[in-house]
């Protein structure tokens, strides 16, 4: 079994079509394991990690706006 570092290194070698196949497999595994999925619809998955990332980006924008005021 490869480590996460080995997998990340291998991902760098893949073309876009191969990456999309990997993404599909990862989403299928997330659905199977119900791992942190907040929304699962025709548009794709929205996970806890996606939510945290979006919140962090929004927070950065708010903080940047406050520092200019």
């Amino acid at each position: 079994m490869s480590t996460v570092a080995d997998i990340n290194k291998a991902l760098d070698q893949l073309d876009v079509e191969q990456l999309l196949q990997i993404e599909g497999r990862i989403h299928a595994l997330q659905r199977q394991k119900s791992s942190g999925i907040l929304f699962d619809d025709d548009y794709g998955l929205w996970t806890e990690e996606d939510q945290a990332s979006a919140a962090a980006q929004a927070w950065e924008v708010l903080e940047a706006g406050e520092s200019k005021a």
Side-chain angles (χ1 to χ4, degrees), residues 5-66:
D6 293 334
I7 293 168
N8 280 325
K9 189 182 295 185
L11 290 174
D12 289 335
Q13 307 303 314
L14 301 178
D15 62 29
V16 173
E17 185 177 322
Q18 292 169 321
L19 289 171
L20 290 172
Q21 290 174 2
I22 298 295
E23 180 183 27
R25 177 69 175 132
I26 289 170
H27 286 175
L29 287 170
Q30 285 178 306
R31 287 182 179 106
Q32 183 181 40
K33 296 179 180 194
S34 299
S35 177
I37 296 174
L38 299 177
F39 298 102
D40 184 1
D41 58 18
D42 291 340
Y43 297 105
L45 294 177
W46 187 258
T47 65
E48 292 172 354
E49 291 82 14
D50 295 326
Q51 187 70 23
S53 176
Q57 290 176 7
W59 191 256
E60 287 178 17
V61 170
L62 290 172
E63 285 182 332
E66 288 178 4

